[in-house]
Amino acid sequence: MRTLVLTVLTATLLFSCKNENKSESSSELEETAMVSDSTVVEATFNITPIEHATAVFDFGDAVFYIDPVGGASAFEGQPKPNVILVTDIHGDHLNEETLNAVADSATTIFAPQAVVDALKTDLKNKVTVIANDEVKAWDGYELTAIPMYNLREEAKQFHTKGRGNGYVIEKDGMRVYFSGDTEDIPEMRNLKDIDKAFVCMNLPYTMTVDRAADGVIAFAPKEVYPYHFRGQDGLSDTDKFKSLVNAAGIDTEVILLDWYPNKAE
């Protein structure tokens, strides 16, 4: 009888241990599956500067043009845009002839109301208006219009608050910011979790290199690209901008691209 009881107990313990191990293995597999399912793959991003404020960029699966000017010839060899973003009404941001040349029936255009009001052709019927602080969705992307305007009294006539847009575009956890024509306004300084920031700096129209650096230091993007840095006195000192940002110790990488390929040597 004692032998029979021991045999039964041993079998019970073995069966219990096997089930416990199986349960632990299943839990580990389920946990791994849950981690795998929740992992977000960051979108890819590549940019081709065209000139000054104008660029073509691939973001995830879509091609974006920002402020396309320069005529059709400026975009030879470039893929057609899925989306066009226009920031303001000035000629270095808005050129209706260029817009008509690069956009087709499948292109979505986002712009502030002032841009639509400035258009003369039927193109205005293709534009989706987005106002400061408004958020719109497009094919899995989130687009937020960020205010852009001047703070200095002597420059307020160039960019009034509410007329133009900067943009934050987000896809799969990546957030990209284009400042448009602005100074280091609170709305820029308070941005969060920006992966790539494109920030202007030219006088008298936007801001100094020092103010641009100070604004970037405030919101500390992972990467910052100076753009739109040609002013009345030539090109701004982007090397100085890089030094100022690097000296702040904020772990922001400054990337200098050639935004003026056609400048005189």
Side-chain angles (χ1 to χ4, degrees):
M1 178 67 70
R2 184 177 297 172
T3 302
L4 179 59
V5 170
L6 286 172
T7 302
V8 171
L9 284 172
T10 302
T12 303
L13 287 170
L14 285 171
F15 182 80
S16 176
C17 287
K18 286 181 180 178
N19 278 347
E20 185 177 343
N21 290 338
K22 184 177 180 182
S23 177
E24 287 177 357
S25 298
S26 298
S27 296
E28 289 173 1
L29 286 171
E30 288 172 5
E31 184 177 347
T32 302
M34 287 175 66
V35 170
S36 177
D37 289 343
S38 64
T39 300
V40 176
V41 178
E42 193 172 76
T44 57
F45 183 92
N46 295 288
I47 190 159
T48 301
I50 301 298
E51 182 85 17
H52 189 55
T54 302
V56 173
F57 58 98
D58 304 311
F59 189 0
D61 298 324
V63 176
F64 290 75
Y65 285 12
I66 188 159
D67 288 339
V69 302
S73 61
F75 299 90
E76 288 181 2
Q78 299 295 334
K80 277 287 189 180
N82 302 108
V83 178
I84 293 174
L85 307 176
V86 183
T87 62
D88 200 16
I89 60 175
H90 291 159
D92 55 341
H93 302 275
L94 173 62
N95 181 275
E96 191 163 1
E97 181 182 351
T98 303
L99 281 175
N100 275 307
V102 300
D104 59 26
S105 58
T107 306
T108 300
I109 304 172
F110 291 99
Q113 183 64 51
V115 166
V116 175
D117 294 341
L119 295 174
K120 307 298 183 187
T121 67
D122 290 341
L123 185 69
K124 65 171 57 184
N125 299 321
K126 286 180 56 65
V127 178
T128 298
V129 173
I130 180 169
N132 284 184
D133 301 316
E134 191 174 1
V135 179
K136 290 197 179 286
W138 178 85
D139 198 26
Y141 295 78
E142 184 177 273
L143 180 68
T144 305
I146 308 297
M148 47 152 276
Y149 55 93
N150 288 106
L151 295 170
R152 294 168 295 124
E153 286 299 325
E154 67 272 21
K156 283 184 176 179
Q157 74 274 17
F158 296 127
H159 305 98
T160 56
K161 186 174 183 179
R163 189 187 71 201
N165 292 331
Y167 294 104
V168 169
I169 313 106
E170 183 170 354
K171 171 74 170 178
D172 294 337
M174 181 181 288
R175 287 165 55 80
V176 179
Y177 169 58
F178 284 90
S179 71
D181 285 10
T182 192
E183 293 188 51
D184 57 322
I185 57 176
E187 294 90 341
M188 180 178 79
R189 298 174 71 90
N190 292 331
L191 289 170
K192 305 294 183 186
D193 303 321
I194 299 297
D195 294 286
K196 299 175 186 293
F198 293 81
V199 176
C200 64
M201 55 194 79
N202 65 328
L203 290 178
Y205 308 108
T206 62
M207 57 182 158
T208 66
V209 166
D210 297 78
R211 296 311 306 169
D214 195 58
V216 166
I217 291 165
F219 72 95
K222 290 181 182 177
E223 297 174 353
V224 63
Y225 300 71
Y227 89 127
H228 195 290
F229 52 86
R230 181 180 56 211
Q232 286 185 348
D233 297 323
L235 302 182
S236 297
D237 189 346
T238 53
D239 288 327
K240 178 184 178 183
F241 171 82
K242 184 173 184 176
S243 296
L244 290 169
V245 174
N246 288 345
I250 58 169
D251 201 27
T252 293
E253 182 181 3
V254 181
I255 299 174
L256 304 180
L257 300 179
D258 185 6
W259 288 86
Y260 300 95
N262 301 312
K263 64 180 180 294
E265 298 297 337

